[in-house]
Amino acid sequence: MNTRQSFLSVILSVILFLMSGCGAVGNNTISAVTPLPTAADAPSVPTQPQPMPTASAVVAEAPAATPAPTPTPLDLNLPAGSALAAARATDIAVRPIPRNPMTFDAFPVKLRFDEFYDGYNVRTGLILSDKLLSLDGQQVVIEGYMAPPLKAELDWFVLTRIQLAYCPFCSTAADWPDDIALVYLADSTIRPTERPMRLYGTLEVGPSIDPETGMLSLVRIYADKLELL
Amino acid sequence: MKQKLSTGLSVIARTLMALILIMTSLPVLPASAQDEAPPVLILPIDRAAFLPGAYFDFRVEVHAAEMPEDFAVTINGEDASDFFGAEPNEESWTFGKEETPSQSVIWRQVMLPEPGLYIVEVTAGGATTSVDWYARQPHAGAGAQNVILFIGDGMTVPQITAARVASRGNTQGKTNGYFAIDQMEAIGLIQTSSVDSIMADSANTASALNTGHKSSVNALGVYADTSPDTLDDPRQETLAEMLKRTRGMSIGIVTTAGWTDATPASVFGHTRRRGDRDFLAAAPLDEGLMPEVIMGGDGRYMLPEAVAGGRRKDGRNMFDEYEAAGYTVVTTATELQEAMSEGAPERLLGMFHSGDMNVWLDRNVFTDNLGDFTDQPGLVDMTLSALEILGQNENGFYLMVEAGSIDKQMHPLDQERALSDLIELDNAVAAAIEWAAVNAPDTLIVVTADHGHGYEVYGTVDVEMFNAAEDDAGKRKAIRVYDAAGFPTYEDADGDFFPDTWDVSIVFAGLVNNYPDHTEDFQVSPTPRVPAIADADGNYVDNPDDDPNGIPRSGVLPLNASTGVHSLQDVPVFASGPGAAFFGRVMDNTEVFFGMAAALGLDLLAEDGMAASMGDEGACEGIVFNGRCYTR
């Protein structure tokens, strides 16, 4: 697939997928976190192990240079869980480097949305904070809201700082806010909820295209535990 | 649009038939004929007016599973392909929930060769549908070499009145001063309705000012067809494109909104969906208009989404591309000043915010609201910088300047932020008049609005009494009307024409005429207002954090409306300079385009120019009085 086609399909798939969920607001039944079917329909995308934090906080080693993003295969009918694997694989090549690496005494580290960025440069975009970059690959805990339901049962969703009570793509001029994170649930799904939530999981920073929807994310959380507040 | 059976059965008044344009409606035909005669859509619409030589796309749609065998398109009786000397593209698609099939032909980039009436007839399934187009006699011109079009987004006469009282003050009923726009040579009113609705948005209305053609809500630079592709709709050439193409004039776009927002994008854009921001940010380069000046916000649509804060899905970095194309790129007021002090650059791209620029009140008073964008230029500085750059071209220039946040602040019912931006617009108009008087007296200056936004002052409020009241009844006693209203206590001691503070003892009792559930305290908000928030069902309800001390107002809008909406009213048009007289009347918004063209003596088919006259659609069918036609 050439670049133009792939971007077209990215745009198309995002619009189709998100529009199909628009207007479904109101289903606030909260289900227990339920396990996904396991390995039988395993993802065809290679999975890379994530570095687990050790007791003495060690900042992830930065690569010597920043290579281009790894192209991610796009498929609208991936088996559940394989989007997660593909997203993990994508980031390996693009891990950003903190300017002033920070170390942490204990994990998980509490991270707030207003700590994501250190300002905006019109010419180069948002400036990723040292804290965010230093936590790449580390265990974090973060609180936020699930963006409006994109479908009835989810193994991934968009976490936002404030409650987005509308579908960002339902209005032509609307857009996602900058302070969002894509959340992948490890072996479970969740029903849409409007309650605030607390998430524990591994943080990942750097551009990655979700292979199921084509949505590009800059911050992802591979959640181990989710608490509704 | 008129449709009749080819057997000669007469049908339907022209005005009713214009409704056929809406995709859901069917032509009214005898039941027996409806089966064989499918609905037909002809774009441009009936009564469309043109300058001879102006480019447009001509689309015909037949809503049938297959194109009828008798399908034919003629213009003044001649086969359309012979008339234009080109074959159309054939396209088909389905649209709407019913998946209605559409068979279409489209001629791209055609023109009408000379002034006159053009009758377009489309035969399909035994019926003939027709529309009339008028190509106008070019006007000899009024001596204008340059045009500046100021657009106060959503600006209305009641807003101007309120802003004048706050800015200039009023003593014993007489104003203590006039705005620059108040003193212009001519004032008219324009009606703003859309092809698909009596209501309008900035896209189709700003487009009408720039193209002389109507459009549909959310569409700009095109007539909306029924195809799902938002970029294939039949195009209307914009004034900027005509002036660059035929005269080599310079083009400038200045706005306090994002520059890919509907109003500024109407100078150059062609899309069914104003939300096609990626496309619009690249269009001036990709399609070759290359405006000499672009200033405003919307940096996010210049950056690929792989960059944090970027929004482009095509991976392009438009900052780099504009720079490579010869643009000087600046991102702060300081950089703008530096670039101008080194001698006006040939092309300037000034991008001062990731989204819409901040409003005057936040740029100058509540600066905590600026976030990372603490060094943004004001509209006066942007306008004068643009004029300095554009004035270098001896072929002349067309500059569009938008005060985008009058409307953007009327939406959340924020009277102080909206009125401050209106005052800033007037200061920019005053600066432009002063610049033109010295540098280019052959400049036509037009000030208008794209559409209305119904705000009005009906009295004053005693703030101390309002805030001390223990209940709503007590608060309402603090609202003073008629003689009790007296005068507000806004004051401009420093002479910048803005009230030194909006936080005074007697303020406007001013309201927008439509709103969601909210509370209103009539007082300036330190942070931009968010009057309503969505509940669990997505319905908008009062935001408890906005004006918590206010009077509750029960919404008069659909529950999914988060803010107030545009209103139906004619909006004012002011003009000074050569050709100003073209604007002193009540007219359609498309006439603003023809007025600017007439002032310039724009004749697209003749270099040495005659040009477009005003409203000469055939002979007068009413009473002629002092050279003017009056009809009923």
Side-chain angles (χ1 to χ4, degrees), chain B residues 4-353:
Chain B
K4 62 186 181 190
L5 293 180
S6 53
T7 52
L9 275 177
S10 73
V11 219
I12 299 304
R14 167 188 297 183
T15 44
L16 267 180
M17 292 310 290
L19 294 174
I20 295 171
L21 293 169
I22 301 164
M23 60 182 74
T24 50
S25 66
L26 293 170
V28 181
L29 284 171
S32 61
Q34 279 199 6
D35 295 339
E36 43 188 295
V40 168
L41 176 63
I42 302 175
L43 303 171
I45 59 173
D46 191 31
R47 299 184 291 155
F50 302 76
L51 287 182
Y55 289 139
F56 65 98
D57 297 339
F58 171 33
R59 184 185 288 288
V60 176
E61 290 187 33
V62 178
H63 297 163
E66 286 181 9
M67 191 63 98
E69 285 186 8
D70 64 348
F71 178 71
V73 183
T74 63
I75 295 176
N76 289 346
E78 185 181 355
D79 177 79
S81 293
D82 294 339
F83 179 86
F84 291 123
E87 292 297 317
N89 288 333
E90 294 176 17
E91 299 167 354
S92 64
W93 58 78
T94 62
F95 65 93
K97 283 182 185 153
E98 308 292 321
E99 301 202 347
T100 308
S102 177
Q103 311 303 322
S104 174
V105 293
I106 184 164
W107 286 264
R108 297 278 185 194
Q109 204 163 316
V110 293
M111 66 171 74
L112 301 179
E114 57 189 38
L117 169 66
Y118 293 80
I119 299 171
V120 180
E121 292 189 305
V122 176
T123 302
T128 298
T129 307
S130 76
V131 300
D132 294 346
W133 293 341
Y134 302 95
R136 294 194 176 168
Q137 182 68 42
H139 193 282
Q145 297 300 310
N146 315 301
V147 174
I148 309 173
L149 174 64
F150 285 95
I151 300 178
D153 203 302
M155 180 174 72
T156 63
V157 171
Q159 293 172 21
I160 294 169
T161 311
R164 186 195 302 122
V165 169
S167 170
R168 302 308 205 260
N170 186 299
T171 306
Q172 292 187 299
K174 289 203 161 191
T175 186
N176 299 336
Y178 283 99
F179 278 147
I181 54 177
D182 296 332
Q183 302 170 60
M184 294 178 77
E185 290 171 50
I187 175 169
L189 291 170
I190 57 176
Q191 73 96 19
T192 63
S193 294
S194 317
V195 169
D196 55 342
S197 171
I198 56 168
M199 304 312 297
D201 77 331
S202 291
N204 69 86
T205 52
S207 178
L209 305 176
N210 274 287
T211 65
H213 289 280
K214 288 289 185 180
S215 191
S216 300
V217 174
N218 285 328
L220 51 97
V222 297
Y223 281 107
D225 62 26
T226 67
S227 79
D229 183 345
T230 60
L231 300 179
D232 76 340
D233 299 56
R235 290 184 168 202
Q236 310 149 341
E237 191 174 23
T238 69
L239 182 64
E241 290 167 333
M242 293 175 199
L243 297 178
K244 193 98 183 201
R245 172 166 73 84
T246 62
R247 291 192 170 184
M249 286 168 66
S250 287
I251 305 301
I253 298 161
V254 170
T255 178
T256 51
W259 80 278
T260 65
D261 200 11
T263 304
S266 293
V267 174
F268 61 88
H270 303 275
T271 169
R272 173 68 183 90
R273 182 175 58 195
R274 58 185 286 179
D276 289 332
R277 301 290 197 104
D278 286 19
F279 166 78
L280 290 170
L285 279 192
D286 293 351
E287 303 190 356
L289 181 66
M290 301 272 287
E292 280 67 16
V293 174
I294 300 171
M295 276 192 270
D298 264 2
R300 66 178 61 163
Y301 299 107
M302 309 294 276
L303 291 171
E305 63 175 354
V307 168
R311 288 289 186 276
R312 295 195 67 80
K313 298 197 188 305
D314 60 8
R316 292 167 71 180
N317 185 319
M318 296 314 302
F319 282 120
D320 294 349
E321 292 194 25
Y322 277 87
E323 205 160 51
Y327 283 82
T328 299
V329 178
V330 297
T331 60
T332 62
T334 307
E335 286 178 17
L336 173 62
Q337 205 177 5
E338 284 167 5
M340 296 305 296
S341 68
E342 292 161 12
E346 218 167 293
R347 294 178 197 281
L348 179 78
L349 177 73
M351 213 87 321
F352 306 111
H353 200 286

Side-chain angles (χ1 to χ4, degrees), chain A residues 3 7 10-11 14-15 25-28 69 117-128 163 165-166 169 172-178 194 207 209 214-216 218, chain B residues 218 261 273-278 299-301 303 305-311 313-315 317 319-320 323 329-331 351-354 372-373 534-538 540:
Chain A
T3 313
F7 276 115
V10 166
I11 293 161
V14 169
I15 290 168
V25 185
N27 177 4
N28 58 357
Y117 306 112
D118 273 346
Y120 194 106
N121 178 309
V122 171
R123 196 60 205 267
T124 56
L126 282 161
I127 301 157
L128 276 57
Q163 197 168 8
Y166 60 93
F169 283 85
T172 54
D175 220 333
W176 287 102
D178 290 317
E194 279 135 11
I209 294 171
M215 179 171 174
L216 187 140
L218 295 162
Chain B
N218 285 328
D261 200 11
R273 182 175 58 195
R274 58 185 286 179
D276 289 332
R277 301 290 197 104
D278 286 19
R300 66 178 61 163
Y301 299 107
L303 291 171
E305 63 175 354
V307 168
R311 288 289 186 276
K313 298 197 188 305
D314 60 8
N317 185 319
F319 282 120
D320 294 349
E323 205 160 51
V329 178
V330 297
T331 60
M351 213 87 321
F352 306 111
H353 200 286
S354 64
D372 299 315
F373 307 98
D535 67 9
D537 299 322
Y540 279 85

Side-chain angles (χ1 to χ4, degrees), chain A residues 49-172:
Chain A
Q50 284 294 299
M52 293 307 290
T54 57
S56 61
V58 176
V59 176
E61 205 173 301
T66 309
T70 310
T72 305
L74 292 170
D75 189 338
L76 289 176
N77 299 303
L78 292 179
S82 54
L84 179 153
R88 279 178 187 274
T90 306
D91 182 64
I92 298 302
V94 293
R95 180 159 297 156
I97 309 159
R99 291 169 303 271
N100 302 300
M102 294 170 67
T103 55
F104 305 94
D105 292 335
F107 290 91
V109 175
K110 187 161 183 172
L111 178 66
R112 297 193 317 266
F113 277 106
D114 61 10
E115 296 173 321
F116 276 25
Y117 306 112
D118 273 346
Y120 194 106
N121 178 309
V122 171
R123 196 60 205 267
T124 56
L126 282 161
I127 301 157
L128 276 57
S129 72
D130 284 327
K131 179 168 181 180
L132 185 77
L133 292 172
S134 300
L135 283 169
D136 187 26
Q138 308 294 323
Q139 292 293 114
V140 298
V141 53
I142 186 168
E143 292 175 8
Y145 294 87
M146 180 187 290
L150 302 177
K151 58 179 182 179
E153 192 152 298
L154 307 157
D155 59 349
W156 71 269
F157 59 90
V158 175
L159 189 75
T160 61
R161 179 175 61 85
I162 53 170
Q163 197 168 8
L164 283 190
Y166 60 93
C167 181
F169 283 85
C170 291
S171 162
T172 54

Side-chain angles (χ1 to χ4, degrees), chain B residues 372-390:
Chain B
D372 299 315
F373 307 98
T374 53
D375 188 19
Q376 302 171 52
L379 192 62
V380 174
D381 288 343
M382 289 198 289
T383 302
L384 289 175
S385 299
L387 288 171
E388 200 175 320
I389 295 168
L390 299 172

Side-chain angles (χ1 to χ4, degrees), chain B residues 450-609:
Chain B
D450 44 0
H451 57 75
H453 208 131
Y455 163 88
E456 197 155 5
V457 170
Y458 62 95
T460 61
V461 179
D462 182 327
V463 171
E464 193 177 338
M465 187 177 168
F466 187 96
N467 291 344
E470 287 176 4
D471 54 18
D472 291 342
K475 287 172 194 161
R476 286 172 65 173
K477 282 183 189 161
I479 296 171
R480 314 169 335 155
V481 299
Y482 294 112
D483 53 331
F487 297 85
T489 51
Y490 306 116
E491 206 178 340
D492 173 30
D494 61 11
D496 65 356
F497 301 119
F498 296 92
D500 299 332
T501 172
W502 287 94
D503 187 14
V504 295
S505 57
I506 308 292
V507 299
F508 285 142
L511 292 175
V512 174
N513 65 7
N514 67 85
Y515 37 82
D517 287 357
H518 73 291
T519 49
E520 180 60 60
D521 72 4
F522 304 99
Q523 296 159 53
V524 62
S525 301
T527 56
R529 290 188 68 181
V530 182
I533 54 172
D535 67 9
D537 299 322
N539 296 327
Y540 279 85
V541 296
D542 175 48
N543 176 3
D545 296 330
D546 179 84
D547 284 9
N549 186 40
I551 295 171
R553 304 180 78 206
S554 186
V556 294
L557 287 168
L559 291 168
N560 64 0
S562 58
T563 68
V565 302
H566 305 161
S567 67
L568 176 66
Q569 58 177 301
D570 292 352
V571 292
V573 53
F574 307 87
S576 278
F582 292 128
F583 300 88
R585 61 201 181 99
V586 180
M587 56 189 172
D588 191 63
N589 56 358
T590 53
E591 298 294 344
V592 172
F593 164 86
F594 287 101
M596 294 189 290
L600 288 165
L602 182 62
D603 183 346
L604 298 167
L605 296 176
E607 287 299 312
D608 54 353

